[in-house]
Amino acid sequence: IPVTAAKEYACKACGFDIDPERVKDSLANVRKHGVERLVTIEQRDIFTLDLSDGPTVVTLYLLPSLNARLLPQLQKLPDGARVISVGHRMGDIPPDDQVTVDTEDGDYTIYLWHVETLRRYSALFRLWHYLVRPFILDCIHVVARFALPASQRAVGHSGAI
């Protein structure tokens, strides 16, 4: 993504990966395309990066669970920053925009959030994910456990709700 951004739009881009082999491959790709003056690739843990005074656009190609785990970091982005995710949403936070792109490899959905949206919804997301949802699931489990006759309960399971 950083190489394409630099080649197509002549913008500065920085890529991060925790895997040294991915970093090595990415640096080789940067050299291959001659965008060393625009692109840096670093071996860093994205969950510990300081994003508060840097990027105006962040692109992600992570699993949904990692996108959601990254929310606290993304909230630190400067005002006006945008987050783009390829193929995966950001928890239950509705995107500000989304498009489907037809490529040689198939269709990809691209999601866009403004950092202000992530800040507004992430508090609700955390409330739901860590407090309300577990409480509701526990209540369903208790109700199912006592509401179903013993003949309908399997060992370790309380039935399907």
Side-chain angles (χ1 to χ4, degrees):
I1 294 173
V3 169
T4 301
K7 282 188 73 165
E8 297 289 322
Y9 305 102
C11 65
K12 287 190 173 193
C14 190
F16 302 102
D17 203 306
I18 199 164
D19 182 345
E21 286 301 311
R22 297 292 69 76
V23 171
K24 183 180 170 185
D25 294 344
S26 297
L27 289 170
N29 194 37
V30 167
R31 285 188 295 278
K32 174 183 169 186
H33 290 281
V35 290
E36 298 96 322
R37 64 184 175 75
L38 293 172
V39 176
T40 59
I41 305 292
E42 299 177 24
Q43 182 181 346
R44 305 267 307 269
D45 180 352
I46 59 174
F47 297 103
T48 61
L49 288 174
D50 178 11
L51 300 175
S52 61
D53 76 14
T56 56
V57 176
V58 172
T59 54
L60 305 171
Y61 194 26
L62 301 170
L63 294 172
S65 60
L66 293 176
N67 280 353
R69 194 172 137 210
L70 195 55
L71 266 173
Q73 286 295 93
L74 297 173
Q75 288 180 308
K76 298 174 187 173
L77 288 166
D79 291 344
R82 291 143 305 176
V83 176
I84 299 167
S85 177
V86 179
H88 301 294
R89 294 182 60 126
M90 187 80 57
D92 292 331
I93 300 175
D96 292 313
D97 198 5
Q98 73 183 60
V99 295
T100 301
V101 179
D102 182 21
T103 72
E104 295 173 358
D105 298 325
D107 291 349
Y108 287 91
T109 302
I110 311 296
Y111 300 97
L112 166 75
W113 294 268
H114 294 93
V115 69
E116 292 80 9
T117 301
L118 296 179
R119 290 176 187 152
R120 185 171 52 251
Y121 279 95
S122 68
L124 294 172
F125 174 78
R126 282 195 309 271
L127 178 67
W128 166 256
H129 189 72
Y130 296 110
L131 271 149
V132 177
R133 183 175 177 266
F135 175 75
I136 290 172
L137 291 176
D138 284 347
C139 289
I140 289 171
H141 177 75
V142 168
V143 168
R145 186 169 161 226
F146 290 105
L148 292 175
S151 62
Q152 292 180 354
R153 282 184 267 170
V155 175
H157 297 284
S158 302
I161 301 287

